[in-house]
PDB file of all heavy atoms in Angstrom:
ATOM      1  N   MET A   1      30.514 -14.407  -9.248  1.00  0.00           N
ATOM      2  CA  MET A   1      30.767 -13.093  -9.831  1.00  0.00           C
ATOM      3  C   MET A   1      29.468 -12.533 -10.399  1.00  0.00           C
ATOM      4  O   MET A   1      28.534 -13.271 -10.695  1.00  0.00           O
ATOM      5  CB  MET A   1      31.829 -13.187 -10.933  1.00  0.00           C
ATOM      6  CG  MET A   1      31.346 -13.734 -12.268  1.00  0.00           C
ATOM      7  SD  MET A   1      30.981 -15.507 -12.301  1.00  0.00           S
ATOM      8  CE  MET A   1      32.618 -16.190 -12.318  1.00  0.00           C
ATOM      9  N   ILE A   2      29.408 -11.213 -10.535  1.00  0.00           N
ATOM     10  CA  ILE A   2      28.241 -10.584 -11.141  1.00  0.00           C
ATOM     11  C   ILE A   2      28.468 -10.427 -12.640  1.00  0.00           C
ATOM     12  O   ILE A   2      29.559 -10.651 -13.145  1.00  0.00           O
ATOM     13  CB  ILE A   2      27.952  -9.215 -10.495  1.00  0.00           C
ATOM     14  CG1 ILE A   2      29.096  -8.232 -10.810  1.00  0.00           C
ATOM     15  CG2 ILE A   2      27.740  -9.338  -9.007  1.00  0.00           C
ATOM     16  CD1 ILE A   2      28.758  -6.797 -10.447  1.00  0.00           C
ATOM     17  N   GLY A   3      27.420 -10.044 -13.342  1.00  0.00           N
ATOM     18  CA  GLY A   3      27.540  -9.794 -14.781  1.00  0.00           C
ATOM     19  C   GLY A   3      26.639 -10.658 -15.625  1.00  0.00           C
ATOM     20  O   GLY A   3      26.147 -10.218 -16.660  1.00  0.00           O
ATOM     21  N   GLY A   4      26.434 -11.912 -15.182  1.00  0.00           N
ATOM     22  CA  GLY A   4      25.571 -12.801 -15.949  1.00  0.00           C
ATOM     23  C   GLY A   4      25.966 -12.889 -17.409  1.00  0.00           C
ATOM     24  O   GLY A   4      27.143 -12.756 -17.768  1.00  0.00           O
ATOM     25  N   THR A   5      24.986 -13.075 -18.268  1.00  0.00           N
ATOM     26  CA  THR A   5      25.279 -13.167 -19.696  1.00  0.00           C
ATOM     27  C   THR A   5      25.588 -11.804 -20.306  1.00  0.00           C
ATOM     28  O   THR A   5      26.118 -11.727 -21.412  1.00  0.00           O
ATOM     29  CB  THR A   5      24.110 -13.823 -20.457  1.00  0.00           C
ATOM     30  OG1 THR A   5      22.881 -13.189 -20.092  1.00  0.00           O
ATOM     31  CG2 THR A   5      24.008 -15.295 -20.114  1.00  0.00           C
ATOM     32  N   THR A   6      25.276 -10.729 -19.575  1.00  0.00           N
ATOM     33  CA  THR A   6      25.646  -9.397 -20.068  1.00  0.00           C
ATOM     34  C   THR A   6      27.163  -9.297 -20.206  1.00  0.00           C
ATOM     35  O   THR A   6      27.671  -8.678 -21.145  1.00  0.00           O
ATOM     36  CB  THR A   6      25.135  -8.312 -19.107  1.00  0.00           C
ATOM     37  OG1 THR A   6      23.713  -8.365 -19.043  1.00  0.00           O
ATOM     38  CG2 THR A   6      25.551  -6.922 -19.575  1.00  0.00           C
ATOM     39  N   ALA A   7      27.879  -9.929 -19.277  1.00  0.00           N
ATOM     40  CA  ALA A   7      29.344  -9.890 -19.329  1.00  0.00           C
ATOM     41  C   ALA A   7      29.893 -10.589 -20.564  1.00  0.00           C
ATOM     42  O   ALA A   7      31.027 -10.337 -20.975  1.00  0.00           O
ATOM     43  CB  ALA A   7      29.925 -10.536 -18.075  1.00  0.00           C
ATOM     44  N   LEU A   8      29.080 -11.457 -21.169  1.00  0.00           N
ATOM     45  CA  LEU A   8      29.517 -12.190 -22.362  1.00  0.00           C
ATOM     46  C   LEU A   8      29.185 -11.460 -23.655  1.00  0.00           C
ATOM     47  O   LEU A   8      29.602 -11.886 -24.729  1.00  0.00           O
ATOM     48  CB  LEU A   8      28.851 -13.576 -22.395  1.00  0.00           C
ATOM     49  CG  LEU A   8      29.123 -14.482 -21.191  1.00  0.00           C
ATOM     50  CD1 LEU A   8      28.295 -15.760 -21.310  1.00  0.00           C
ATOM     51  CD2 LEU A   8      30.597 -14.813 -21.081  1.00  0.00           C
ATOM     52  N   SER A   9      28.421 -10.368 -23.552  1.00  0.00           N
ATOM     53  CA  SER A   9      28.011  -9.645 -24.751  1.00  0.00           C
ATOM     54  C   SER A   9      29.222  -9.044 -25.461  1.00  0.00           C
ATOM     55  O   SER A   9      30.023  -8.337 -24.860  1.00  0.00           O
ATOM     56  CB  SER A   9      27.033  -8.526 -24.372  1.00  0.00           C
ATOM     57  OG  SER A   9      26.698  -7.752 -25.501  1.00  0.00           O
ATOM     58  N   SER A  10      29.337  -9.329 -26.739  1.00  0.00           N
ATOM     59  CA  SER A  10      30.526  -8.871 -27.463  1.00  0.00           C
ATOM     60  C   SER A  10      30.214  -7.891 -28.594  1.00  0.00           C
ATOM     61  O   SER A  10      31.131  -7.402 -29.244  1.00  0.00           O
ATOM     62  CB  SER A  10      31.265 -10.083 -28.054  1.00  0.00           C
ATOM     63  OG  SER A  10      30.416 -10.787 -28.951  1.00  0.00           O
ATOM     64  N   THR A  11      28.939  -7.602 -28.833  1.00  0.00           N
ATOM     65  CA  THR A  11      28.624  -6.791 -30.010  1.00  0.00           C
ATOM     66  C   THR A  11      28.104  -5.394 -29.663  1.00  0.00           C
ATOM     67  O   THR A  11      28.892  -4.481 -29.436  1.00  0.00           O
ATOM     68  CB  THR A  11      27.605  -7.529 -30.904  1.00  0.00           C
ATOM     69  OG1 THR A  11      26.479  -7.934 -30.100  1.00  0.00           O
ATOM     70  CG2 THR A  11      28.239  -8.750 -31.533  1.00  0.00           C
ATOM     71  N   ALA A  12      26.765  -5.221 -29.608  1.00  0.00           N
ATOM     72  CA  ALA A  12      26.239  -3.861 -29.506  1.00  0.00           C
ATOM     73  C   ALA A  12      24.986  -3.790 -28.656  1.00  0.00           C
ATOM     74  O   ALA A  12      24.314  -4.790 -28.408  1.00  0.00           O
ATOM     75  CB  ALA A  12      25.938  -3.315 -30.902  1.00  0.00           C
ATOM     76  N   PHE A  13      24.688  -2.558 -28.188  1.00  0.00           N
ATOM     77  CA  PHE A  13      23.445  -2.275 -27.492  1.00  0.00           C
ATOM     78  C   PHE A  13      22.518  -1.629 -28.510  1.00  0.00           C
ATOM     79  O   PHE A  13      22.778  -0.529 -28.999  1.00  0.00           O
ATOM     80  CB  PHE A  13      23.692  -1.327 -26.320  1.00  0.00           C
ATOM     81  CG  PHE A  13      22.489  -1.123 -25.438  1.00  0.00           C
ATOM     82  CD1 PHE A  13      22.261  -1.956 -24.356  1.00  0.00           C
ATOM     83  CD2 PHE A  13      21.585  -0.099 -25.704  1.00  0.00           C
ATOM     84  CE1 PHE A  13      21.144  -1.775 -23.546  1.00  0.00           C
ATOM     85  CE2 PHE A  13      20.472   0.088 -24.901  1.00  0.00           C
ATOM     86  CZ  PHE A  13      20.242  -0.752 -23.817  1.00  0.00           C
ATOM     87  N   ASN A  14      21.423  -2.308 -28.841  1.00  0.00           N
ATOM     88  CA  ASN A  14      20.525  -1.834 -29.894  1.00  0.00           C
ATOM     89  C   ASN A  14      19.455  -0.898 -29.346  1.00  0.00           C
ATOM     90  O   ASN A  14      18.884  -1.149 -28.276  1.00  0.00           O
ATOM     91  CB  ASN A  14      19.858  -3.028 -30.577  1.00  0.00           C
ATOM     92  CG  ASN A  14      20.820  -3.767 -31.478  1.00  0.00           C
ATOM     93  OD1 ASN A  14      21.023  -3.382 -32.626  1.00  0.00           O
ATOM     94  ND2 ASN A  14      21.429  -4.819 -30.959  1.00  0.00           N
ATOM     95  N   ALA A  15      19.198   0.161 -30.068  1.00  0.00           N
ATOM     96  CA  ALA A  15      18.212   1.144 -29.604  1.00  0.00           C
ATOM     97  C   ALA A  15      17.804   2.066 -30.754  1.00  0.00           C
ATOM     98  O   ALA A  15      18.369   2.015 -31.853  1.00  0.00           O
ATOM     99  CB  ALA A  15      18.790   1.959 -28.445  1.00  0.00           C
ATOM    100  N   GLY A  16      16.843   2.900 -30.434  1.00  0.00           N
ATOM    101  CA  GLY A  16      16.421   3.931 -31.375  1.00  0.00           C
ATOM    102  C   GLY A  16      15.926   5.139 -30.605  1.00  0.00           C
ATOM    103  O   GLY A  16      15.221   4.991 -29.606  1.00  0.00           O
ATOM    104  N   GLY A  17      16.335   6.321 -31.017  1.00  0.00           N
ATOM    105  CA  GLY A  17      15.868   7.537 -30.359  1.00  0.00           C
ATOM    106  C   GLY A  17      16.721   8.011 -29.203  1.00  0.00           C
ATOM    107  O   GLY A  17      16.304   8.906 -28.454  1.00  0.00           O
ATOM    108  N   SER A  18      17.915   7.460 -29.038  1.00  0.00           N
ATOM    109  CA  SER A  18      18.802   7.940 -27.978  1.00  0.00           C
ATOM    110  C   SER A  18      19.321   9.331 -28.332  1.00  0.00           C
ATOM    111  O   SER A  18      19.256   9.765 -29.487  1.00  0.00           O
ATOM    112  CB  SER A  18      19.980   6.991 -27.791  1.00  0.00           C
ATOM    113  OG  SER A  18      20.860   7.075 -28.909  1.00  0.00           O
ATOM    114  N   LYS A  19      19.834  10.037 -27.342  1.00  0.00           N
ATOM    115  CA  LYS A  19      20.389  11.368 -27.593  1.00  0.00           C
ATOM    116  C   LYS A  19      21.529  11.297 -28.603  1.00  0.00           C
ATOM    117  O   LYS A  19      21.693  12.198 -29.440  1.00  0.00           O
ATOM    118  CB  LYS A  19      20.872  11.982 -26.284  1.00  0.00           C
ATOM    119  CG  LYS A  19      19.753  12.329 -25.311  1.00  0.00           C
ATOM    120  CD  LYS A  19      20.308  12.903 -24.009  1.00  0.00           C
ATOM    121  CE  LYS A  19      19.177  13.243 -23.044  1.00  0.00           C
ATOM    122  NZ  LYS A  19      19.687  13.759 -21.747  1.00  0.00           N
ATOM    123  N   ILE A  20      22.316  10.237 -28.505  1.00  0.00           N
ATOM    124  CA  ILE A  20      23.442  10.073 -29.438  1.00  0.00           C
ATOM    125  C   ILE A  20      22.924   9.892 -30.851  1.00  0.00           C
ATOM    126  O   ILE A  20      23.425  10.515 -31.804  1.00  0.00           O
ATOM    127  CB  ILE A  20      24.303   8.851 -29.020  1.00  0.00           C
ATOM    128  CG1 ILE A  20      24.982   9.120 -27.679  1.00  0.00           C
ATOM    129  CG2 ILE A  20      25.350   8.539 -30.088  1.00  0.00           C
ATOM    130  CD1 ILE A  20      25.705   7.917 -27.104  1.00  0.00           C
ATOM    131  N   GLN A  21      21.892   9.063 -31.011  1.00  0.00           N
ATOM    132  CA  GLN A  21      21.345   8.809 -32.346  1.00  0.00           C
ATOM    133  C   GLN A  21      20.630  10.026 -32.914  1.00  0.00           C
ATOM    134  O   GLN A  21      20.711  10.300 -34.123  1.00  0.00           O
ATOM    135  CB  GLN A  21      20.373   7.620 -32.286  1.00  0.00           C
ATOM    136  CG  GLN A  21      21.060   6.281 -32.057  1.00  0.00           C
ATOM    137  CD  GLN A  21      20.086   5.187 -31.693  1.00  0.00           C
ATOM    138  OE1 GLN A  21      19.253   5.369 -30.800  1.00  0.00           O
ATOM    139  NE2 GLN A  21      20.165   4.059 -32.371  1.00  0.00           N
ATOM    140  N   MET A  22      19.956  10.763 -32.056  1.00  0.00           N
ATOM    141  CA  MET A  22      19.205  11.921 -32.536  1.00  0.00           C
ATOM    142  C   MET A  22      20.130  13.077 -32.906  1.00  0.00           C
ATOM    143  O   MET A  22      19.715  14.020 -33.594  1.00  0.00           O
ATOM    144  CB  MET A  22      18.194  12.371 -31.483  1.00  0.00           C
ATOM    145  CG  MET A  22      17.121  11.331 -31.172  1.00  0.00           C
ATOM    146  SD  MET A  22      16.251  10.707 -32.642  1.00  0.00           S
ATOM    147  CE  MET A  22      15.297  12.164 -33.082  1.00  0.00           C
ATOM    148  N   ALA A  23      21.383  12.995 -32.466  1.00  0.00           N
ATOM    149  CA  ALA A  23      22.350  14.046 -32.795  1.00  0.00           C
ATOM    150  C   ALA A  23      23.125  13.720 -34.072  1.00  0.00           C
ATOM    151  O   ALA A  23      23.945  14.524 -34.522  1.00  0.00           O
ATOM    152  CB  ALA A  23      23.330  14.226 -31.637  1.00  0.00           C
ATOM    153  N   LEU A  24      22.867  12.549 -34.654  1.00  0.00           N
ATOM    154  CA  LEU A  24      23.550  12.166 -35.886  1.00  0.00           C
ATOM    155  C   LEU A  24      23.072  13.018 -37.058  1.00  0.00           C
ATOM    156  O   LEU A  24      21.989  13.621 -37.021  1.00  0.00           O
ATOM    157  CB  LEU A  24      23.285  10.686 -36.195  1.00  0.00           C
ATOM    158  CG  LEU A  24      23.816   9.658 -35.180  1.00  0.00           C
ATOM    159  CD1 LEU A  24      23.328   8.255 -35.559  1.00  0.00           C
ATOM    160  CD2 LEU A  24      25.331   9.709 -35.137  1.00  0.00           C
ATOM    161  N   LYS A  25      23.865  13.054 -38.114  1.00  0.00           N
ATOM    162  CA  LYS A  25      23.498  13.808 -39.314  1.00  0.00           C
ATOM    163  C   LYS A  25      22.161  13.315 -39.843  1.00  0.00           C
ATOM    164  O   LYS A  25      21.317  14.100 -40.302  1.00  0.00           O
ATOM    165  CB  LYS A  25      24.594  13.663 -40.372  1.00  0.00           C
ATOM    166  CG  LYS A  25      24.371  14.508 -41.602  1.00  0.00           C
ATOM    167  CD  LYS A  25      25.561  14.406 -42.538  1.00  0.00           C
ATOM    168  CE  LYS A  25      25.361  15.294 -43.759  1.00  0.00           C
ATOM    169  NZ  LYS A  25      26.520  15.205 -44.692  1.00  0.00           N
ATOM    170  N   LYS A  26      21.958  12.015 -39.781  1.00  0.00           N
ATOM    171  CA  LYS A  26      20.670  11.422 -40.128  1.00  0.00           C
ATOM    172  C   LYS A  26      20.150  10.731 -38.867  1.00  0.00           C
ATOM    173  O   LYS A  26      20.523   9.597 -38.575  1.00  0.00           O
ATOM    174  CB  LYS A  26      20.807  10.422 -41.269  1.00  0.00           C
ATOM    175  CG  LYS A  26      19.474   9.831 -41.713  1.00  0.00           C
ATOM    176  CD  LYS A  26      19.657   8.846 -42.844  1.00  0.00           C
ATOM    177  CE  LYS A  26      18.307   8.245 -43.246  1.00  0.00           C
ATOM    178  NZ  LYS A  26      18.451   7.249 -44.346  1.00  0.00           N
ATOM    179  N   PRO A  27      19.297  11.373 -38.095  1.00  0.00           N
ATOM    180  CA  PRO A  27      18.817  10.806 -36.830  1.00  0.00           C
ATOM    181  C   PRO A  27      18.163   9.438 -37.024  1.00  0.00           C
ATOM    182  O   PRO A  27      17.532   9.169 -38.060  1.00  0.00           O
ATOM    183  CB  PRO A  27      17.800  11.841 -36.345  1.00  0.00           C
ATOM    184  CG  PRO A  27      18.234  13.112 -36.984  1.00  0.00           C
ATOM    185  CD  PRO A  27      18.733  12.724 -38.343  1.00  0.00           C
ATOM    186  N   TYR A  28      18.332   8.591 -36.018  1.00  0.00           N
ATOM    187  CA  TYR A  28      17.720   7.265 -36.027  1.00  0.00           C
ATOM    188  C   TYR A  28      16.738   7.233 -34.871  1.00  0.00           C
ATOM    189  O   TYR A  28      17.117   7.339 -33.708  1.00  0.00           O
ATOM    190  CB  TYR A  28      18.787   6.181 -35.854  1.00  0.00           C
ATOM    191  CG  TYR A  28      18.292   4.775 -36.073  1.00  0.00           C
ATOM    192  CD1 TYR A  28      18.287   4.199 -37.338  1.00  0.00           C
ATOM    193  CD2 TYR A  28      17.818   4.013 -34.994  1.00  0.00           C
ATOM    194  CE1 TYR A  28      17.839   2.899 -37.539  1.00  0.00           C
ATOM    195  CE2 TYR A  28      17.364   2.717 -35.192  1.00  0.00           C
ATOM    196  CZ  TYR A  28      17.375   2.162 -36.459  1.00  0.00           C
ATOM    197  OH  TYR A  28      16.927   0.871 -36.654  1.00  0.00           O
ATOM    198  N   THR A  29      15.450   7.098 -35.171  1.00  0.00           N
ATOM    199  CA  THR A  29      14.397   7.265 -34.176  1.00  0.00           C
ATOM    200  C   THR A  29      13.900   5.934 -33.611  1.00  0.00           C
ATOM    201  O   THR A  29      14.248   4.847 -34.110  1.00  0.00           O
ATOM    202  CB  THR A  29      13.198   7.995 -34.790  1.00  0.00           C
ATOM    203  OG1 THR A  29      12.597   7.130 -35.782  1.00  0.00           O
ATOM    204  CG2 THR A  29      13.630   9.301 -35.454  1.00  0.00           C
ATOM    205  N   ALA A  30      13.047   6.042 -32.601  1.00  0.00           N
ATOM    206  CA  ALA A  30      12.406   4.853 -32.037  1.00  0.00           C
ATOM    207  C   ALA A  30      11.512   4.195 -33.088  1.00  0.00           C
ATOM    208  O   ALA A  30      11.396   2.962 -33.121  1.00  0.00           O
ATOM    209  CB  ALA A  30      11.590   5.237 -30.803  1.00  0.00           C
ATOM    210  N   ASP A  31      10.894   4.997 -33.953  1.00  0.00           N
ATOM    211  CA  ASP A  31      10.072   4.439 -35.034  1.00  0.00           C
ATOM    212  C   ASP A  31      10.931   3.603 -35.991  1.00  0.00           C
ATOM    213  O   ASP A  31      10.519   2.524 -36.439  1.00  0.00           O
ATOM    214  CB  ASP A  31       9.378   5.562 -35.813  1.00  0.00           C
ATOM    215  CG  ASP A  31       8.259   6.214 -35.020  1.00  0.00           C
ATOM    216  OD1 ASP A  31       7.763   5.571 -34.065  1.00  0.00           O
ATOM    217  OD2 ASP A  31       7.894   7.357 -35.350  1.00  0.00           O
ATOM    218  N   ASP A  32      12.113   4.129 -36.310  1.00  0.00           N
ATOM    219  CA  ASP A  32      13.020   3.386 -37.190  1.00  0.00           C
ATOM    220  C   ASP A  32      13.376   2.030 -36.570  1.00  0.00           C
ATOM    221  O   ASP A  32      13.396   1.002 -37.256  1.00  0.00           O
ATOM    222  CB  ASP A  32      14.303   4.186 -37.427  1.00  0.00           C
ATOM    223  CG  ASP A  32      14.069   5.459 -38.218  1.00  0.00           C
ATOM    224  OD1 ASP A  32      13.180   5.461 -39.082  1.00  0.00           O
ATOM    225  OD2 ASP A  32      14.784   6.452 -37.959  1.00  0.00           O
ATOM    226  N   TYR A  33      13.643   2.057 -35.268  1.00  0.00           N
ATOM    227  CA  TYR A  33      14.041   0.827 -34.593  1.00  0.00           C
ATOM    228  C   TYR A  33      12.862  -0.153 -34.523  1.00  0.00           C
ATOM    229  O   TYR A  33      13.027  -1.361 -34.696  1.00  0.00           O
ATOM    230  CB  TYR A  33      14.551   1.156 -33.185  1.00  0.00           C
ATOM    231  CG  TYR A  33      15.118  -0.032 -32.443  1.00  0.00           C
ATOM    232  CD1 TYR A  33      15.889  -1.000 -33.092  1.00  0.00           C
ATOM    233  CD2 TYR A  33      14.876  -0.186 -31.074  1.00  0.00           C
ATOM    234  CE1 TYR A  33      16.406  -2.082 -32.393  1.00  0.00           C
ATOM    235  CE2 TYR A  33      15.395  -1.268 -30.371  1.00  0.00           C
ATOM    236  CZ  TYR A  33      16.153  -2.210 -31.045  1.00  0.00           C
ATOM    237  OH  TYR A  33      16.655  -3.285 -30.365  1.00  0.00           O
ATOM    238  N   TYR A  34      11.667   0.373 -34.289  1.00  0.00           N
ATOM    239  CA  TYR A  34      10.484  -0.481 -34.231  1.00  0.00           C
ATOM    240  C   TYR A  34      10.269  -1.192 -35.570  1.00  0.00           C
ATOM    241  O   TYR A  34      10.005  -2.403 -35.619  1.00  0.00           O
ATOM    242  CB  TYR A  34       9.253   0.346 -33.875  1.00  0.00           C
ATOM    243  CG  TYR A  34       7.964  -0.442 -33.958  1.00  0.00           C
ATOM    244  CD1 TYR A  34       7.740  -1.535 -33.114  1.00  0.00           C
ATOM    245  CD2 TYR A  34       6.983  -0.107 -34.889  1.00  0.00           C
ATOM    246  CE1 TYR A  34       6.557  -2.263 -33.203  1.00  0.00           C
ATOM    247  CE2 TYR A  34       5.800  -0.830 -34.975  1.00  0.00           C
ATOM    248  CZ  TYR A  34       5.595  -1.912 -34.138  1.00  0.00           C
ATOM    249  OH  TYR A  34       4.440  -2.638 -34.234  1.00  0.00           O
TER     250      TYR A  34
END
């Protein structure tokens, strides 16, 4: 089957500066994530 260990991931995809994050009331940037 495909999926590898990604298929086992149960929590979250971590990032900074996505369109979703930048549209938040308090934007979360790539600098914040770094």
Side-chain angles (χ1 to χ4, degrees):
M1 78 288 285
I2 66 169
T5 50
T6 298
L8 301 175
S9 176
S10 60
T11 52
F13 188 90
N14 286 276
S18 70
K19 292 178 180 178
I20 294 173
Q21 289 167 310
M22 297 307 289
L24 297 174
K25 185 175 182 180
K26 183 180 179 181
Y28 190 88
T29 67
D31 288 339
D32 293 327
Y33 186 39
Y34 173 63

